[in-house]
Amino acid sequence: PFPSLQKREISNFDYLMYLNTLAGRSYNDYMQYPVFPWVLADYHSETLNLTNPHTFRDLSKPMGAQTVERKHKFIQRFHEVEKTEDLSAQCHYCTHYSSAIIVASYLVRIEPFTQTFCSLQGGSFDVADRMFHSVKSTWESASRDNMSDVRELIPEFFYLPEFLTNANHFELGCMQDGTVLGDVQLPPWADGDPHKFILLHRQALESDYVSAHLHCWIDLIFGHKQQGSAAVEAVNTYHPYFYGDKMDLNNIKDPLIKSTILGFISNFGQIPKQV
C-alpha cells in the first residue's frame, strides 16, 4: 500500500475511493459504481468486538471463497467447463460483485435509485423476498448460501444512514413469511439505529485488522489477482464479458453479438481497470 496509508495519513475509506476513481469507477455510472468490501462477518452479536479477528471477513478471498464448501463448488464449476468445447467462457463466477442492479437494490429506499431500480426491473419492485431487507441475510447470501450472489458493498454502507430507512414509505411488498418490507433490518449490535450501524461499520473499516489486510482485497479487485493465472489461483475469475477492456468490441462484426455483450456488461457488471 501507499506509504501515506501505512503512516495513517489517509483513511481506508479515502484510499478505496481514490483507487475506485483511478480504476474508472464513478458515482455517475451505475455500471461502474465504486465498489467497497464487506469487512465484517459478525452480524449476530449483541456487541461488536473489533479486536477479535473472527469478527471480520477474510479479505484475502473473494466473496465466492469465504466458506470452504462454496469455494470448492466454484472450483468444480471452473473445471467442468474444461470438459466442454467453450473454454472462452471458463470462469468461477457467472455473476459479478458490482452491477447497476446491485447498486440500485442497495439504495432502493432513496431516490433517484428507487426509479432506477424499478426501471431495471421492468417497471416495478422485485419479489419482496429478493429485495435488500436485512444486512445479515444479504451477507449470508453473498458469502455462503447463494451460488449466484457474490456481491460486495458500496461506499454508502460507510457514511449514509438514510439508505437504510424507508423514509419515503414505499410499498416494497411482503415476504413469504409475512414480514412487511420497510426499513432495512440491522445487526443486533446496531440497536436498530442506522446511525449507530454506520458509525460502527466505519470504525470496522478503519480498524487495525482491516488496515493490515485491506491490501489483500485490493489485489483481488484492482490488482494482480484480478485476472490471469493469479486470479485462477485465487478463485477469482469472472465471465469473460465482465472484463470490458479485454473485449475488443470494435473487432466484433456481428451486431447481434456486439449488442448481446454490451447488454450483458450493462446488466451484470464490469471488472475495474487494473491499477
Side-chain angles (χ1 to χ4, degrees):
F2 279 179
S4 57
L5 193 68
Q6 291 173 335
K7 290 179 190 167
R8 310 226 170 189
E9 290 169 8
I10 180 174
S11 68
N12 291 337
F13 182 91
D14 289 341
Y15 185 55
L16 286 170
M17 282 306 301
Y18 176 68
L19 284 176
N20 271 285
T21 305
L22 273 185
R25 314 292 286 188
S26 164
Y27 282 118
N28 299 323
D29 185 350
Y30 294 160
M31 291 182 284
Q32 295 199 73
Y33 208 75
V35 57
F36 267 59
W38 287 95
V39 291
L40 293 173
D42 181 355
Y43 298 96
H44 54 269
S45 296
E46 293 296 326
T47 54
L48 196 59
N49 182 357
L50 297 180
T51 61
N52 181 354
H54 295 296
T55 298
F56 298 92
R57 164 257 180 105
D58 185 342
L59 287 157
S60 69
K61 296 186 175 74
M63 288 303 290
Q66 290 296 308
T67 69
V68 174
E69 187 185 356
R70 196 159 84 136
K71 175 183 171 183
H72 286 316
K73 282 183 186 170
F74 281 122
I75 292 172
Q76 190 180 348
R77 173 193 280 173
F78 183 89
H79 290 306
E80 275 168 3
V81 181
E82 283 181 334
K83 297 172 189 149
T84 70
E85 296 300 308
D86 190 14
L87 278 180
S88 63
Q90 188 173 36
C91 62
H92 295 107
Y93 313 116
C94 300
T95 53
H96 198 251
Y97 50 76
S98 174
S99 66
I101 194 67
I102 289 171
V103 172
S105 69
Y106 280 145
L107 298 172
V108 70
R109 289 163 179 79
I110 50 175
E111 292 288 15
F113 301 97
T114 313
Q115 294 306 316
T116 304
F117 182 83
C118 288
S119 64
L120 287 169
Q121 283 291 337
S124 63
F125 291 120
D126 199 359
V127 177
D129 286 81
R130 287 204 298 259
M131 296 277 284
F132 171 53
H133 66 277
S134 155
V135 179
K136 179 174 181 275
S137 65
T138 302
W139 159 256
E140 288 171 349
S141 170
S143 66
R144 189 186 74 198
D145 296 340
N146 186 345
M147 288 292 282
S148 61
D149 182 4
V150 291
R151 74 192 120 162
E152 293 278 9
L153 298 182
I154 54 175
E156 284 82 353
F157 272 85
F158 300 95
Y159 69 82
L160 190 73
E162 287 77 11
F163 88 96
L164 298 165
T165 61
N166 187 21
N168 292 319
H169 305 293
F170 291 119
E171 292 188 11
L172 301 171
C174 186
M175 293 170 64
Q176 284 183 344
D177 65 5
T179 306
V180 177
L181 258 57
D183 297 346
V184 176
Q185 293 169 13
L186 302 175
W189 46 259
D191 296 327
D193 180 351
H195 289 85
K196 185 172 181 182
F197 172 82
I198 295 292
L199 178 71
L200 290 172
H201 204 217
R202 182 65 173 265
Q203 284 177 5
L205 179 65
E206 304 299 341
S207 67
D208 289 344
Y209 179 91
V210 172
S211 296
H213 297 87
L214 189 58
H215 67 281
C216 300
W217 184 83
I218 289 168
D219 287 344
L220 295 169
I221 306 298
F222 300 107
H224 74 287
K225 291 184 180 175
Q226 186 199 71
Q227 43 195 282
S229 57
V232 175
E233 205 172 309
V235 194
N236 193 41
T237 64
Y238 297 82
H239 193 284
Y241 288 175
F242 295 140
Y243 297 86
D245 55 342
K246 289 273 184 284
M247 300 295 304
D248 190 354
L249 294 172
N250 296 325
N251 286 340
I252 297 171
K253 299 288 181 273
D254 187 326
L256 186 63
I257 293 174
K258 197 176 206 170
S259 70
T260 301
I261 293 172
L262 284 169
F264 194 95
I265 292 167
S266 67
N267 281 319
F268 297 110
Q270 206 168 343
I271 300 284
K273 289 196 190 88
Q274 205 165 13
V275 294

